[in-house]
Amino acid sequence: MENQVLTPHVYWAQRHRELYLRVELSDVQNPAISITENVLHFKAQGHGAKGDNVYEFHLEFLDLVKPELVYKLTQRQVNITVQKKVSQWWERLTKQEKRPLFLAPDFDRWLDESDAEMELRAKEEERLNKLRIESQGSPETLASLKKGYLFMYNLVQFLGFSWIFVNMTVRFLILGKESFYDTFHTVADMMYFCQMLAVVEAINAAIGVTKSSVIPSLFQLLGRNFILFIVFGTMEEMQNKAVVFFVFYIWSTAEILRYPFYMLSCIDMDWKVLTWLRYTMWIPLYPLGCLAEAVSVIQSIPIFNETGRFSFTLPYPVKIKVRFSFFLQIYLIILFLGLYINFRHLYKQRRRRFGQKKKKIH
C-alpha cells in the first residue's frame, strides 16, 4: 500500500528581514525543500499527525523572497529560515488572503511589529559594537599591547643607559681621571639616542598611556636635552671638560634604577630592593645632577660670550646685542625651579608608596 501524501502542521513567524517556518515532523528523511518563482515547496518522509507518511505543502509568499533558504532538521521538527528581498513588515505570510488550514502563527517566536523593530535595533547595535570592538581590539588585548609596548620601551632605555654606565665605569677604573676628558666622544651617540627616545615618555604621560605627571616629565626632558644638545653638543670646547663625565654618570645611574622598576611594573612584579632604590636614590642623585648641570652652564657662559654663538642683535631702532649667555642665566633659575618641582613630585610619590606601610604597622 502506497504512503498517503499529507500536509503537515506548519507554524510561522517573521522579522523585518526574515521568515521563520517550523514544520511539525519528526524523524524526517529525504527532505526536498526549495523556492522557485517565489513559492516554497516542501516534501519529506516523516512522522506527523497522521503517522509515518510522505508530507508535502506549497506556500506562495506575499512578497518577494530570496531563493536561497536555510533549514535544520531536529528529532521533532524541521526549522526553515527564508530571507526577504526587502526588509519590511508583512501583514501576512501568503499571497492568498485566506490562511491555509495547515498554517498557524508560531507564538513561541511571534512578535508584533514594534517589538520586532526594537529587536532589530538591538541586533544592529550589537553588530556595530562588535565591529567597533574588533576594529579597536578588546580591552584585554589593548591592555596587553600597552604593557608590551611599555615593557619594550623601558627595556631599550635600560639597556642604553646601562651601556653608558658600564662603559664610563670601566674606563674610569682603567684610566682614572683621564677618562673624564673624553667622555663625550665615547658615549655621546648613545646618550643622544636615549634622550631623543625619552620624548616618547613625555608623550605617553601627555596622552594618558602612563599615569606619570606631564610637567615633571617635560621639565626633565627639556632640561637634559638643553644641556646635551645645546651646551655640550654645539660647543666643542665644552665636550672636553670633566663636568660632562659627572653629568652623564649621574643621569645614567638614576635611569638604570628607574627603568627596571617600570619594566617589572609592566608585568605586575614588585622587587622590594629595586622599589626602595627607585624611591630613595633620587634624594642624593637629583640635587647632584642639578649641581653638575649648573656647573656645565656656568662654565659654558664665557665660551658662548667669546664665540658669540646664538647671540643676535635686535632690529633698528633698538640695535641692542642680546648675548646667549643672558638666556643661560635665565636657564639657571629655571633649572633650580625644575629641581624643586621634580623633588616635590618624587617626594609625594615616595610618601604615597611607603606611607601606607607605616600606617599598617601602627
Side-chain angles (χ1 to χ4, degrees), residues 153 156-158 160-161 164 187-203 217-230 232 247-248 250-255 258-259 286 293 331:
Y153 167 77
V156 170
Q157 287 288 58
F158 170 66
F161 281 108
I164 295 170
V187 300
D189 288 341
M190 183 59 74
M191 187 62 80
Y192 278 137
F193 170 78
C194 290
Q195 282 307 126
M196 285 190 291
L197 189 60
V199 173
V200 174
E201 204 164 328
I203 295 173
S217 301
L218 202 58
F219 257 111
Q220 178 169 299
L221 173 69
L222 296 177
R224 284 189 179 182
N225 284 349
F226 179 82
I227 297 295
L228 178 62
F229 289 95
I230 304 299
F232 294 157
V247 170
F248 284 6
I250 292 168
W251 287 357
S252 59
T253 303
E255 302 303 29
R258 189 166 69 97
Y259 285 115
Y286 267 65
E293 291 173 29
Y331 176 77

Side-chain angles (χ1 to χ4, degrees), residues 111-291:
L111 291 177
D112 59 30
E113 186 174 1
S114 59
D115 290 337
E117 285 178 354
M118 290 177 62
E119 183 184 71
L120 185 65
R121 282 198 295 269
K123 285 184 177 180
E124 186 66 18
E125 287 178 8
E126 185 180 351
R127 186 182 70 84
L128 292 174
N129 287 334
K130 188 176 180 181
L131 288 173
R132 194 179 300 115
I133 289 172
E134 287 175 356
S135 63
Q136 296 177 353
S138 65
E140 294 79 9
T141 303
L142 290 175
S144 298
L145 288 173
K146 176 182 169 182
K147 285 185 177 182
Y149 155 70
L150 290 174
F151 183 88
M152 290 305 300
Y153 167 77
N154 291 311
L155 175 61
V156 170
Q157 287 288 58
F158 170 66
L159 293 175
F161 281 108
S162 294
W163 185 90
I164 295 170
F165 179 83
V166 172
N167 187 297
M168 293 176 67
T169 302
V170 171
R171 293 183 74 259
F172 175 73
L173 293 175
I174 296 173
L175 303 174
K177 294 181 180 179
E178 293 298 320
S179 67
F180 290 175
Y181 305 102
D182 61 351
T183 297
F184 186 87
H185 303 287
T186 307
V187 300
D189 288 341
M190 183 59 74
M191 187 62 80
Y192 278 137
F193 170 78
C194 290
Q195 282 307 126
M196 285 190 291
L197 189 60
V199 173
V200 174
E201 204 164 328
I203 295 173
N204 287 341
I207 64 177
V209 175
T210 61
K211 295 180 181 179
S212 303
S213 298
V214 178
I215 293 176
S217 301
L218 202 58
F219 257 111
Q220 178 169 299
L221 173 69
L222 296 177
R224 284 189 179 182
N225 284 349
F226 179 82
I227 297 295
L228 178 62
F229 289 95
I230 304 299
V231 176
F232 294 157
T234 63
M235 303 299 292
E236 290 185 14
E237 296 88 339
M238 287 298 300
Q239 294 170 8
N240 297 320
K241 292 188 176 292
V243 70
V244 177
F245 176 90
F246 293 102
V247 170
F248 284 6
Y249 203 74
I250 292 168
W251 287 357
S252 59
T253 303
E255 302 303 29
I256 63 174
L257 298 175
R258 189 166 69 97
Y259 285 115
F261 171 79
Y262 290 149
M263 285 167 55
L264 293 181
S265 296
C266 291
I267 55 176
D268 300 320
M269 286 184 64
D270 183 15
W271 185 23
K272 291 182 179 180
V273 174
L274 183 61
T275 301
W276 185 86
L277 289 172
R278 176 344 192 177
Y279 286 101
T280 305
M281 287 305 295
W282 61 267
I283 298 173
L285 289 175
Y286 267 65
L288 288 173
C290 185
L291 181 62

Side-chain angles (χ1 to χ4, degrees), residues 52-97:
D52 191 16
N53 274 300
V54 173
Y55 290 84
E56 183 177 353
F57 69 88
H58 308 279
L59 285 174
E60 184 175 4
F61 293 111
L62 175 66
D63 211 332
L64 294 177
V65 297
K66 296 180 181 179
E68 304 84 12
L69 56 79
V70 177
Y71 70 88
K72 183 180 178 182
L73 302 177
T74 69
Q75 288 185 346
R76 299 181 58 186
Q77 61 199 30
V78 181
N79 296 315
I80 304 171
T81 303
V82 179
Q83 300 289 330
K84 297 177 181 178
K85 272 199 172 181
V86 179
S87 178
Q88 62 182 8
W89 196 257
W90 290 5
E91 62 181 18
R92 61 181 183 273
L93 178 65
T94 58
K95 191 170 185 180
Q96 65 182 63
E97 291 188 15

